[in-house]
Amino acid sequence: MLITIKKTAKAEEIHALKQLLDRNGLGHRVCLTQEQTIIGLENNPSEAISKEIKEQSSVEEIASIDTPYKLASLRYKPKRTVIEIGNVEIGGSKVVLIAGPCAIESKEQLESIAEQLVQSGTSILRGSAYKPRTSPYSFQGMGPEGLKIHREAQKKHGMLIETEVMDVRDVALVAEHVDILRIGARNMQNFDLLKEVGKCGKPVILKRGISATIEEWVLSAEYIMAHGNHQVILCERGIRTFENATRSTLDLSSIPVVKQMTHLPVIVDPSHAAGRKDLIPALAKAAIAAGADGLLIEVHDNPKEAKCDGKQSLLPEELKSLAQDLRKVAEAVGRSL
Amino acid sequence: MLITIKKTAKAEEIHALKQLLDRNGLGHRVCLTQEQTIIGLENNPSEAISKEIKEQSSVEEIASIDTPYKLASLRYKPKRTVIEIGNVEIGGSKVVLIAGPCAIESKEQLESIAEQLVQSGTSILRGSAYKPRTSPYSFQGMGPEGLKIHREAQKKHGMLIETEVMDVRDVALVAEHVDILRIGARNMQNFDLLKEVGKCGKPVILKRGISATIEEWVLSAEYIMAHGNHQVILCERGIRTFENATRSTLDLSSIPVVKQMTHLPVIVDPSHAAGRKDLIPALAKAAIAAGADGLLIEVHDNPKEAKCDGKQSLLPEELKSLAQDLRKVAEAVGRSL
Amino acid sequence: MLITIKKTAKAEEIHALKQLLDRNGLGHRVCLTQEQTIIGLENNPSEAISKEIKEQSSVEEIASIDTPYKLASLRYKPKRTVIEIGNVEIGGSKVVLIAGPCAIESKEQLESIAEQLVQSGTSILRGSAYKPRTSPYSFQGMGPEGLKIHREAQKKHGMLIETEVMDVRDVALVAEHVDILRIGARNMQNFDLLKEVGKCGKPVILKRGISATIEEWVLSAEYIMAHGNHQVILCERGIRTFENATRSTLDLSSIPVVKQMTHLPVIVDPSHAAGRKDLIPALAKAAIAAGADGLLIEVHDNPKEAKCDGKQSLLPEELKSLAQDLRKVAEAVGRSL
Amino acid sequence: MLITIKKTAKAEEIHALKQLLDRNGLGHRVCLTQEQTIIGLENNPSEAISKEIKEQSSVEEIASIDTPYKLASLRYKPKRTVIEIGNVEIGGSKVVLIAGPCAIESKEQLESIAEQLVQSGTSILRGSAYKPRTSPYSFQGMGPEGLKIHREAQKKHGMLIETEVMDVRDVALVAEHVDILRIGARNMQNFDLLKEVGKCGKPVILKRGISATIEEWVLSAEYIMAHGNHQVILCERGIRTFENATRSTLDLSSIPVVKQMTHLPVIVDPSHAAGRKDLIPALAKAAIAAGADGLLIEVHDNPKEAKCDGKQSLLPEELKSLAQDLRKVAEAVGRSL
C-alpha cells in the first residue's frame, strides 16, 4: 500500500499515522518526492486497518498495490517515465546510445574516444573512475582525478556523462561531477548505497545483479525511489548461468517483463553480458527489437592495451558502423536512434 | 580430425585403417554421407600418426579440426547449410515461420488451426502426436492416430509438417508421416535417439537441452551428422536459470555463437522459453534481429481448453498480426519473412 | 488422487470407470502392481466427482494425494521402502556401498577391480556396458559383451551387479543380465525408457538429471512406479550450476527433502558430482551424515588409462581405507556400513 | 607474486620498487600486516623482471604464487590459520557453534535467547543490528541501539558476539562493539567495505555471495587480507540455482575445495541455505562430516513472531538437542564440539 500525505498535514498528524502503522506491525518507509510525501507499506493491511489509515487527518489517499514494489509499479503510475537530462530523453521514442571506455585511463584516452563517439550518435559518454575488480591487485580506477577528466570531456564535446559509484562516501562528489550515476551489478543489493543515491538528485542507472531475479532488481529500484529519487533507469547486463561461451547470459526477456511491471525505462549492456566483441552487433540489434530504451556499449580505441575489458570493447569506427544497422532496427519497431 | 575415404577404397583397406586407429587408442566413428565415407576422430592425433594415417591406401585426405565437433564445424564446411524441403528453405535469406498447436488433440482442432495459419505466412505446421510430460498422469499425446491427422492437414493445406519423436522405435513411422522430425529438449542427449534419426533421411530440428551448453548442443548435432544425416536445424528454446518470471531464460546470444561455430541453420522457440504469451512478440522480434533463421511458435485457437501449454499459445489472428511486425524486423536486418 | 480397484472387479466395470474419468477430462494412468490395480489421476477431482468415482462398482477405495506424485508419496505409503535383493537391503539401517569402474573395459579389468572391492565391504559392483558420451567419437561402451563380463564377475565374486540402460530396446537384455538397472542423469526424463524399466521387474537406480528439480526427479520415479515397478532407488549426483571448481554441485539438501516427500531410498554418487577424486572422502562422509542410504563410487585400478572418468576414480585401496572412515560416520548417525 | 619488504627498507627504496612495477604495468597492492610489508602483484612477471625486482634494495624475498589469490593461498602459508578470540579457537580441532537470532529485536528477546544458548555449547552469539532487506519497506534492523543490546548480552553471558556490517561508515562503530564482524552474502563484492574491514583489526566472517564462484569468494578474502587483516573466516551459505525446494543450494563441496586452496578456516550456515528449519539437522551434520570448522545457526525462541527468517530458525531447545547429535559426528571425523 502507498499512502499519500496531505500537503497541509502537520508533523504531529504524520507522527500519529506512523504510530498507527507501528502499532499494527506494518513495515513502512517515508518517501519524500519533489511534490509529495508518500509512505510505502511492505504489505497491504487488513480492510479494517486500511479504513482506519484512510481516516487519519494527514492522509490524502491510499493506493492498494499488491506487488512488493509500489512506486516503481506500472499500476501505481500507468504513464511511462521519460527521464530528461539536457536535451536527451531516456524512455522516449528515441533509443539512446551510451558508449565509452570501461575505465577512464588518462585524459588523452578519454579525449580521443569521445571525439570519435560524437560522430556515431552517442548521446552519453560512459567511463569509470572507480572500478570494482575481483582481485585486489588489479587496477582500481583513477578515482577523483578520473572524475575531473570525465567532466572536461563533457564540456569539450557537449555530451552527457555517466559513471559508476561504489562507495557511499563518494556519492556526493560523483553526483557533483557527472550527469548520471551508475550502480554496478555487484552493488545492486548494497542497500546503503541505494539509499544514498536515493538522495543525490541525479538520474541513476541501476544494473541488474548477475544473480538477481527481475523482482529483486525492481525492488532495488524501489529503494532508490523510496528515498526520494524517481529517476531510475534499469540496465539489463546478463545473468550468471552454467553457459560459458559468454561471460553472462543476456536475459532479453527481462525487457518486456520489466515493461509490464514498471513504468521505468530499461536499457541493455551487451558488452558486459557477452564479454566478447563479436557478439555485440547481434545482441544490440536484438535488444532494440525487444524494446530496450537504450544501449550501454564499451568502446576503446586501443582495446589490446585497455586496462580492463579490452576483449569486449568495440573500436569507435565499429560502433559508428553498427549504429547505422541499429537505426534500421529501431525504425522497424517504430522508434528512432 | 576428419578422414575422407577414397571412393575406390576396398573394405579391407578401410579395415586396416581402423586397426591403425584402434591401436593408437583413437576414438572414432565412421560416417556415411550420401557422397562420401568420412571417419571422425575424437581428438587430433600426433604429427607422426597423422602422417601414417594420411599414407594409408584408403585415405583421400585428412582435415585437422581442433573443435570436438567436426562435421558441424564452420571450419570444415565454410558454406552455410541451407536445407531445402519442398519449396521451403531453412537457412536461406527468408526467415521461416513454423507454427501450430503444442499437441495434436483432434482432427477438428488441427484443421481449424491450419486453415488460419496459412494466411499468416506459416510455412510449416507444428504439432505433437507424442508428448513428453513431467507427470505420468498427464495427457501423453494421440500417438499414431495423431500422425495421420497431421498428414491429412499437410495434404489439405499444402504446408510442410514437423513433429516430435521421443522413442527410437517410433523413428521410422514418424519419418514416414512427416517432413521434419523434432528432438525435444529433454532428449537432446538421448544418444540412441540421435543415432536413430541420424539414419532416417529426413531433416531434424534439434532443440537445445534446458541445461545444455552450446558446445554440448552442437555435439548432439554432430551425433546426428556422424550417423549420416546432415540436415540438422538447431533450435534455441531457453535454458534453466534461477529466474522464474519466465519458464526458461531464452539465450539469444546462442544464435551468433552457433553461427560462428557451425554452418547449420538455427531457429528459435520463444513460446517454450517464455511460457507466457505476452512476451512472444518482443522475443520473436529479438530472435530475428539476432540472426535466427526461423521461429517455432505455438498457436491454438482455444488456448483455455488446450491439453497443454495453453498459457503460452498465441491465437491464430495474433500470429497473423505479429507476422507483419516480424517482417519489418527481418527486412531491417536484410532478410524477408 | 489414487483409486484402488477391487480385486473382483470385472473388465467392463473398470471400463465404465475409465469412461467416467475421460468424460470429466481427468488425466489418468492405470498401474498394475503385483498385488493391486491402481489408477492415478493427475489432479484431485471436485468433491462431487470424487463421490461419483467412489461409488463405482469397481472401486475399492480412493486416496486424495495433493502432490503431483502419488505412489512415491510418503503420505500414500508412510512406511519407508526397503528394497531387498539377495542378502542386500537398500533403505534399511545399513548404508550400502556400490562401487566399480565407470565403464566395463575388459574381462581382466573388471575381474581385477571386483576382487579388490570385495574386501572393502562393497555389496554391489557398478560398471557400464553402454556409455552415454557427449561426443559421437568417444568410446561408447562394450555393449552386450560387457554385460556378459559383468555377469561373470557377479558369479565369481558373489556381489550383486548394476549397470546403466540407455535404449528402450536393450531393457529386456539388460534386465536379464544384472540385478539392478540404472537410468543415467541424461535420461531422467526419457519417458519411454522410464515406462519400459517400469515393466522390467528389477530394481532401478534413478539418477537425478543435472538440471532437474527434486519434484521432477520424484515424478520420474512416479513414471516407473505407475508402470508397475515400485523398486526405485533415487540417486543424487549433483546439479549444474555456475560453479566450476567441481563438475556438478552436489545437492545434499536433496536427501532430507526427498525423505520428506517420498518413502523411497536415496543414494549419492559423489564421483560424478565432484569430477575429481580428492573431494570424494569429504562428500561421501557428508552424504552419510545427511542421511543417504548408500553411495555409488567410481573405482578403477589404473585411473590414468581408464576409458572414461579416470580423474574422479578412487583406487581400490583408497576405497578400502575410506570405507573405515565412512563406517564411523554411519555409526555416529545410528547406522552401520 | 608476493614481494616481502625488508624491515629496514626506507620509503624512497620502496618508492623506487613501486616505480619499477608501474613501469612494467604490474597491478599491485601494498599490504601492511602486523609484522611485515608485503606487495602483491596480480600476475607473476617475466623471469627478467622478477630478477630485477629481487635485486631491488628494499626487497627481502619474492614468492611466486600462481593463483590469483596470494596471501590466502595454502601454498604461501602451508600452516592452517587458527583464529583465537578470547578462549575460542576457530579453525582448531574443536568445531565452533555460532547461534542466535537473525535480527536483534529487543533487549528481552536477545537476553532470553542468549540464556538458553549458553547451555547448548554455543560459543558465539549471532545477531544483526543492521539488516540487508530486499524490500525498502521491511524492518531494517535496530542500528546502534541493537549493537548496545548485543554488547550487554555478551557481558552478561560471557559469550563472544558477532554481527553484520553493511555500510563502510559503520565499520569503526561495529568493530568497537563486537568481537567478530560479518560481511553478508550480498556484500561479498562490496570492495570498499572489504577494504574497510581490512583495516578494522577484528576477525571477519566473510559469507559467500549467492552467485560467487569459490575463487571469487577467496579473492574477496584476499581483499581483506591485502588491507592488513588476516583474520578471515569463510562462510558457505548456499548458492542460487534453479532448485526451489530450498532457498539456496548449500554447496558442501566448497569446504574441501576451499581447504585445498587456502589456509583459512571455513564455517557453514545451513539456516540461510535451507530457508526451512526441518533440513537444518541433516545439513549441519553433513557440514561437520565434510570438514567445516564451525556452524552458524539461526535460533529464535518465538519464530512465529520473528521480524525476519522465522521459518528457518530453530528453537533453543532444538539446538540443544541437535548439538548432541553434532558432537557424535564431530567425534567420528576426529574432532570435538
Side-chain angles (χ1 to χ4, degrees):
Chain A
M1 175 181 278
L2 278 174
I3 305 167
T4 308
I5 303 298
K6 284 182 190 155
K7 281 175 192 172
T8 56
K10 292 176 197 149
E12 58 189 352
E13 288 174 302
I14 300 176
H15 193 67
L17 171 64
K18 284 193 69 175
Q19 282 181 323
L20 170 65
L21 301 177
D22 284 339
R23 259 201 316 279
N24 288 287
L26 296 165
H28 62 274
R29 166 80 36 203
V30 179
C31 163
L32 296 165
T33 66
Q34 280 163 307
E35 303 131 41
Q36 289 175 301
T37 302
I38 283 171
I39 296 178
L41 306 192
E42 190 177 6
N43 300 306
N44 284 337
S46 71
E47 220 168 301
I49 295 171
S50 292
K51 196 161 165 286
E52 207 176 330
I53 292 170
K54 205 171 175 179
E55 284 163 358
Q56 290 285 305
S57 60
S58 62
V59 172
E60 187 166 306
E61 63 172 347
I62 62 174
S64 289
I65 313 280
D66 58 359
T67 47
Y69 45 95
K70 317 286 176 195
L71 300 166
S73 168
L74 189 60
R75 235 161 295 167
Y76 172 64
K77 175 174 174 296
K79 201 184 153 209
R80 298 212 171 272
T81 291
V82 178
I83 296 174
E84 291 174 54
I85 321 164
N87 57 353
V88 174
E89 281 185 357
I90 304 178
S93 71
K94 192 175 171 189
V95 176
V96 174
L97 205 50
I98 307 171
C102 180
I104 298 169
E105 299 169 24
S106 72
K107 191 171 157 61
E108 295 67 36
Q109 171 236 28
L110 197 65
E111 281 294 312
S112 159
I113 295 172
E115 205 172 315
Q116 297 173 74
L117 287 179
V118 171
Q119 302 162 33
S120 58
T122 301
S123 313
I124 304 171
L125 180 66
R126 72 154 277 152
S128 294
Y130 302 95
K131 291 294 311 162
R133 301 303 296 275
T134 306
S135 164
Y137 309 120
S138 299
F139 174 61
Q140 311 268 319
M142 291 183 77
E145 204 191 321
L147 290 179
K148 268 188 231 160
I149 293 172
H150 211 170
R151 178 78 161 196
E152 286 166 26
Q154 176 211 36
K155 283 187 193 151
K156 189 162 172 188
H157 298 287
M159 297 159 100
L160 298 175
I161 58 174
E162 67 87 62
T163 203
E164 175 159 359
V165 63
M166 291 167 61
D167 188 324
V168 285
R169 295 166 300 193
D170 295 332
V171 171
L173 182 72
V174 172
E176 203 180 289
H177 279 78
V178 305
D179 303 295
I180 304 174
L181 283 74
R182 185 182 354 113
I183 302 283
R186 291 182 182 88
N187 279 315
M188 192 202 84
Q189 291 195 319
N190 180 339
F191 299 117
D192 291 294
L193 185 58
L194 299 178
K195 290 173 187 175
E196 208 64 36
V197 300
K199 302 173 206 152
C200 79
K202 289 269 172 96
V204 178
I205 292 175
L206 177 66
K207 286 201 161 184
R208 180 178 181 185
I210 58 166
S211 64
T213 62
I214 296 173
E215 187 174 289
E216 289 169 346
W217 183 26
V218 172
L219 274 164
S220 286
E222 185 82 10
Y223 255 96
I224 300 173
M225 299 174 84
H227 285 80
N229 188 345
H230 286 225
Q231 301 183 81
V232 181
I233 301 144
L234 297 166
C235 179
E236 164 67 36
R237 50 76 71 224
I239 56 175
R240 185 164 267 185
T241 70
F242 59 83
E243 177 59 64
N244 48 28
T246 45
R247 197 159 102 165
S248 307
T249 297
L250 187 64
D251 178 15
L252 288 179
S253 311
S254 74
I255 301 174
V257 170
V258 155
K259 292 271 176 188
Q260 287 200 5
M261 291 165 75
T262 88
H263 52 82
L264 298 170
V266 56
I267 64 172
V268 169
D269 173 352
S271 307
H272 280 88
R276 40 189 274 202
K277 63 182 272 190
D278 58 340
L279 309 181
I280 310 290
L283 294 180
K285 282 184 259 182
I288 293 177
D293 295 305
L295 292 169
L296 181 60
I297 297 180
E298 286 193 345
V299 174
H300 201 285
D301 57 355
N302 190 0
K304 284 198 179 154
E305 305 271 313
K307 291 213 173 180
C308 62
D309 290 347
K311 275 203 306 181
Q312 70 200 37
S313 293
L314 294 183
L315 292 167
E317 58 264 34
E318 289 170 332
L319 181 67
K320 200 176 160 186
S321 155
L322 174 59
Q324 294 173 8
D325 292 343
L326 297 178
R327 197 159 290 126
K328 288 180 205 157
V329 177
E331 284 161 7
V333 295
R335 305 182 77 163
S336 63
L337 180 137
Chain B
M1 176 181 276
L2 280 174
I3 305 166
T4 307
I5 302 299
K6 285 181 188 157
K7 283 181 188 164
T8 56
K10 290 175 196 152
E12 59 189 351
E13 288 174 301
I14 299 176
H15 193 67
L17 170 63
K18 284 194 67 174
Q19 283 182 319
L20 169 65
L21 300 177
D22 284 339
R23 258 200 319 278
N24 289 285
L26 296 165
H28 62 273
R29 165 81 36 204
V30 180
C31 163
L32 296 164
T33 66
Q34 278 163 312
E35 302 130 42
Q36 289 174 303
T37 301
I38 284 170
I39 297 178
L41 307 192
E42 190 177 7
N43 301 305
N44 284 339
S46 71
E47 220 169 301
I49 296 171
S50 291
K51 194 160 168 286
E52 209 177 328
I53 290 171
K54 202 170 177 178
E55 283 163 357
Q56 290 287 304
S57 61
S58 62
V59 172
E60 187 165 303
E61 63 173 348
I62 63 174
S64 289
I65 314 280
D66 58 0
T67 48
Y69 46 93
K70 317 288 176 194
L71 300 165
S73 167
L74 188 61
R75 233 161 297 167
Y76 173 63
K77 175 175 174 295
K79 204 186 150 207
R80 298 213 171 273
T81 291
V82 178
I83 296 174
E84 292 174 52
I85 321 162
N87 57 353
V88 174
E89 280 185 357
I90 304 178
S93 69
K94 191 174 171 189
V95 175
V96 174
L97 204 50
I98 308 171
C102 179
I104 297 169
E105 298 170 24
S106 72
K107 190 172 159 60
E108 294 68 34
Q109 171 236 27
L110 196 65
E111 282 294 312
S112 159
I113 295 171
E115 205 171 314
Q116 297 173 74
L117 286 178
V118 172
Q119 303 161 33
S120 57
T122 301
S123 310
I124 304 170
L125 180 66
R126 72 154 277 153
S128 294
Y130 302 94
K131 290 296 312 163
R133 302 304 295 275
T134 308
S135 164
Y137 309 120
S138 300
F139 174 62
Q140 310 268 321
M142 291 184 77
E145 205 191 320
L147 290 178
K148 269 187 231 159
I149 292 172
H150 212 168
R151 179 75 163 201
E152 285 165 29
Q154 176 211 37
K155 283 188 192 150
K156 189 160 172 190
H157 299 286
M159 298 159 99
L160 298 175
I161 59 175
E162 67 87 61
T163 204
E164 175 159 359
V165 62
M166 292 167 59
D167 188 324
V168 284
R169 296 167 299 195
D170 295 330
V171 172
L173 182 71
V174 171
E176 202 180 290
H177 279 79
V178 303
D179 303 295
I180 305 173
L181 283 74
R182 183 178 2 109
I183 302 284
R186 291 183 182 88
N187 279 315
M188 192 203 83
Q189 291 195 318
N190 180 340
F191 299 118
D192 291 295
L193 184 60
L194 298 178
K195 291 172 186 176
E196 208 65 37
V197 301
K199 302 173 205 152
C200 79
K202 288 270 171 96
V204 178
I205 292 175
L206 177 66
K207 286 203 160 183
R208 182 179 182 185
I210 56 165
S211 63
T213 62
I214 296 173
E215 187 173 291
E216 288 168 348
W217 183 26
V218 172
L219 274 164
S220 285
E222 184 83 10
Y223 256 96
I224 300 173
M225 299 173 84
H227 286 80
N229 187 348
H230 286 224
Q231 301 183 81
V232 180
I233 301 143
L234 297 166
C235 179
E236 163 68 36
R237 50 79 67 223
I239 56 175
R240 184 164 269 187
T241 70
F242 61 83
E243 177 58 63
N244 49 28
T246 45
R247 196 158 104 164
S248 307
T249 296
L250 188 65
D251 179 14
L252 289 179
S253 311
S254 75
I255 302 175
V257 170
V258 155
K259 292 269 175 189
Q260 287 200 5
M261 291 165 74
T262 87
H263 51 80
L264 298 171
V266 56
I267 64 172
V268 170
D269 173 354
S271 306
H272 279 86
R276 41 189 272 201
K277 61 182 273 194
D278 58 341
L279 308 181
I280 311 290
L283 295 179
K285 282 183 260 181
I288 294 177
D293 295 307
L295 292 169
L296 181 59
I297 296 180
E298 286 192 346
V299 174
H300 201 286
D301 56 356
N302 189 0
K304 287 201 179 150
E305 306 271 311
K307 293 213 173 180
C308 62
D309 290 347
K311 275 203 305 182
Q312 69 199 37
S313 293
L314 294 183
L315 292 168
E317 57 265 34
E318 289 170 329
L319 181 66
K320 199 175 161 188
S321 156
L322 174 58
Q324 293 173 8
D325 293 342
L326 297 177
R327 197 160 290 123
K328 289 180 205 158
V329 177
E331 284 161 8
V333 294
R335 306 182 76 163
S336 63
L337 180 139
Chain C
M1 176 181 277
L2 279 173
I3 304 167
T4 308
I5 302 298
K6 285 183 189 154
K7 283 178 190 166
T8 55
K10 291 176 197 151
E12 57 189 353
E13 288 173 301
I14 299 175
H15 193 67
L17 171 63
K18 285 193 66 173
Q19 283 181 319
L20 169 64
L21 300 178
D22 284 339
R23 260 200 318 277
N24 289 285
L26 296 165
H28 62 273
R29 165 80 37 204
V30 179
C31 163
L32 295 164
T33 67
Q34 279 163 310
E35 302 132 41
Q36 290 174 300
T37 302
I38 284 170
I39 296 178
L41 306 193
E42 190 177 4
N43 299 308
N44 284 338
S46 71
E47 220 168 303
I49 295 171
S50 292
K51 194 160 167 288
E52 208 177 330
I53 292 170
K54 203 170 175 180
E55 283 163 357
Q56 290 285 307
S57 60
S58 62
V59 173
E60 186 165 303
E61 62 173 348
I62 62 175
S64 289
I65 314 280
D66 58 0
T67 48
Y69 46 95
K70 317 287 179 195
L71 300 165
S73 168
L74 188 60
R75 234 162 294 169
Y76 173 63
K77 175 174 173 298
K79 207 186 148 207
R80 298 212 170 274
T81 291
V82 177
I83 296 173
E84 291 174 53
I85 321 162
N87 57 353
V88 175
E89 281 186 357
I90 304 178
S93 69
K94 193 176 171 188
V95 175
V96 174
L97 206 49
I98 308 171
C102 180
I104 298 168
E105 298 170 24
S106 73
K107 189 171 159 58
E108 295 66 36
Q109 171 236 29
L110 196 65
E111 282 293 313
S112 160
I113 294 172
E115 205 171 315
Q116 297 174 74
L117 286 179
V118 171
Q119 302 162 34
S120 58
T122 300
S123 311
I124 304 170
L125 180 66
R126 72 155 278 152
S128 294
Y130 303 94
K131 291 295 311 163
R133 301 305 295 276
T134 306
S135 164
Y137 309 119
S138 299
F139 173 62
Q140 312 267 319
M142 292 184 74
E145 205 190 322
L147 290 178
K148 267 187 230 160
I149 293 171
H150 212 169
R151 178 78 162 196
E152 284 166 28
Q154 176 211 37
K155 281 186 192 154
K156 191 164 172 188
H157 298 285
M159 298 159 98
L160 298 176
I161 58 174
E162 67 85 62
T163 204
E164 176 160 358
V165 62
M166 291 167 59
D167 188 323
V168 285
R169 296 167 299 194
D170 295 331
V171 172
L173 183 71
V174 171
E176 201 181 293
H177 278 79
V178 304
D179 304 295
I180 305 173
L181 283 74
R182 185 181 355 113
I183 302 285
R186 290 182 181 88
N187 278 315
M188 192 203 83
Q189 291 195 319
N190 180 339
F191 299 117
D192 290 295
L193 185 59
L194 298 178
K195 291 173 185 174
E196 207 65 35
V197 300
K199 301 175 205 151
C200 79
K202 289 269 172 96
V204 179
I205 292 175
L206 177 67
K207 286 202 161 185
R208 181 178 180 185
I210 56 166
S211 63
T213 63
I214 297 173
E215 187 174 290
E216 288 168 347
W217 183 24
V218 172
L219 275 163
S220 285
E222 184 82 10
Y223 256 97
I224 300 173
M225 299 173 84
H227 285 81
N229 188 347
H230 285 225
Q231 301 182 84
V232 180
I233 302 144
L234 297 165
C235 179
E236 164 67 36
R237 48 79 69 224
I239 55 175
R240 184 164 269 187
T241 70
F242 60 83
E243 177 58 63
N244 49 27
T246 45
R247 197 158 102 166
S248 307
T249 297
L250 188 64
D251 179 15
L252 289 179
S253 312
S254 74
I255 302 174
V257 171
V258 154
K259 291 271 176 188
Q260 288 200 5
M261 291 165 74
T262 87
H263 51 81
L264 298 170
V266 56
I267 64 173
V268 170
D269 173 354
S271 307
H272 280 87
R276 42 189 272 201
K277 62 181 272 190
D278 59 341
L279 308 181
I280 310 290
L283 294 180
K285 282 184 261 182
I288 293 177
D293 295 306
L295 292 169
L296 182 59
I297 297 180
E298 287 192 347
V299 174
H300 201 284
D301 58 353
N302 189 1
K304 286 200 180 150
E305 306 271 311
K307 293 212 171 179
C308 62
D309 290 347
K311 275 203 304 181
Q312 70 199 36
S313 294
L314 294 183
L315 292 167
E317 56 265 33
E318 289 170 330
L319 181 66
K320 199 176 160 186
S321 156
L322 174 59
Q324 293 173 9
D325 292 342
L326 296 178
R327 197 160 292 124
K328 289 181 205 156
V329 177
E331 285 161 9
V333 295
R335 308 182 74 162
S336 62
L337 179 139
Chain D
M1 176 181 277
L2 279 174
I3 305 167
T4 308
I5 302 298
K6 284 182 190 156
K7 281 176 193 169
T8 56
K10 291 178 197 148
E12 58 188 353
E13 288 174 302
I14 300 177
H15 193 68
L17 170 63
K18 285 194 67 174
Q19 283 182 319
L20 170 65
L21 301 177
D22 284 340
R23 261 201 316 280
N24 288 286
L26 295 165
H28 62 274
R29 165 80 35 202
V30 179
C31 163
L32 295 164
T33 67
Q34 280 163 307
E35 303 131 41
Q36 290 175 301
T37 302
I38 285 170
I39 296 178
L41 306 192
E42 191 176 8
N43 301 306
N44 284 337
S46 73
E47 221 168 301
I49 295 170
S50 293
K51 196 161 166 290
E52 208 177 329
I53 291 171
K54 204 172 177 176
E55 283 162 359
Q56 290 286 304
S57 61
S58 63
V59 172
E60 188 166 302
E61 63 172 349
I62 62 173
S64 290
I65 314 279
D66 59 358
T67 48
Y69 45 95
K70 317 286 177 197
L71 300 165
S73 167
L74 189 60
R75 235 162 295 168
Y76 173 63
K77 175 174 174 297
K79 204 187 150 206
R80 297 214 171 271
T81 291
V82 178
I83 296 173
E84 291 174 53
I85 321 163
N87 58 353
V88 175
E89 281 186 357
I90 304 178
S93 70
K94 192 175 170 189
V95 175
V96 174
L97 204 52
I98 307 171
C102 181
I104 297 170
E105 298 169 26
S106 71
K107 191 172 156 62
E108 294 66 37
Q109 172 235 28
L110 196 66
E111 283 293 313
S112 158
I113 294 171
E115 205 171 314
Q116 298 173 73
L117 287 178
V118 172
Q119 303 162 34
S120 58
T122 301
S123 311
I124 304 170
L125 180 67
R126 72 155 278 153
S128 295
Y130 303 94
K131 292 295 313 163
R133 301 303 297 275
T134 307
S135 164
Y137 308 120
S138 299
F139 173 62
Q140 312 266 320
M142 291 184 76
E145 203 191 321
L147 290 178
K148 269 187 231 160
I149 293 172
H150 212 170
R151 178 77 160 197
E152 285 166 28
Q154 177 210 36
K155 282 186 194 153
K156 189 162 172 189
H157 299 286
M159 297 158 99
L160 299 174
I161 57 174
E162 66 87 63
T163 204
E164 176 159 0
V165 63
M166 292 166 60
D167 188 323
V168 285
R169 296 167 298 194
D170 295 331
V171 172
L173 182 72
V174 171
E176 202 182 290
H177 278 78
V178 305
D179 303 295
I180 304 173
L181 282 75
R182 187 182 352 115
I183 301 283
R186 291 182 180 89
N187 279 314
M188 193 203 82
Q189 291 195 318
N190 180 340
F191 300 117
D192 291 293
L193 185 59
L194 299 177
K195 290 173 186 174
E196 208 64 37
V197 299
K199 302 174 205 152
C200 79
K202 288 269 171 97
V204 178
I205 292 175
L206 178 65
K207 286 203 161 182
R208 180 179 183 184
I210 57 166
S211 63
T213 63
I214 296 173
E215 188 174 288
E216 288 168 347
W217 183 26
V218 172
L219 275 163
S220 286
E222 185 82 9
Y223 256 96
I224 300 173
M225 300 174 84
H227 286 80
N229 188 348
H230 286 224
Q231 302 182 80
V232 180
I233 302 144
L234 297 165
C235 178
E236 164 67 35
R237 48 78 69 224
I239 56 175
R240 186 164 267 186
T241 69
F242 60 82
E243 177 58 62
N244 48 27
T246 45
R247 196 158 102 166
S248 307
T249 297
L250 187 65
D251 179 14
L252 289 178
S253 311
S254 74
I255 301 175
V257 170
V258 155
K259 292 270 175 188
Q260 288 199 7
M261 292 165 75
T262 87
H263 51 80
L264 298 171
V266 57
I267 64 171
V268 169
D269 173 353
S271 306
H272 281 87
R276 41 188 271 201
K277 62 181 275 189
D278 59 340
L279 308 180
I280 310 290
L283 295 179
K285 283 184 259 181
I288 294 177
D293 295 307
L295 292 170
L296 181 60
I297 297 181
E298 286 193 345
V299 174
H300 202 285
D301 56 354
N302 189 2
K304 286 200 178 149
E305 305 272 311
K307 292 210 173 181
C308 61
D309 290 348
K311 276 203 305 183
Q312 71 199 36
S313 293
L314 293 184
L315 291 168
E317 57 264 33
E318 289 170 331
L319 180 66
K320 199 176 160 187
S321 154
L322 174 59
Q324 294 174 8
D325 293 343
L326 296 178
R327 197 159 291 126
K328 289 181 204 156
V329 177
E331 284 161 10
V333 295
R335 304 182 77 163
S336 62
L337 180 137

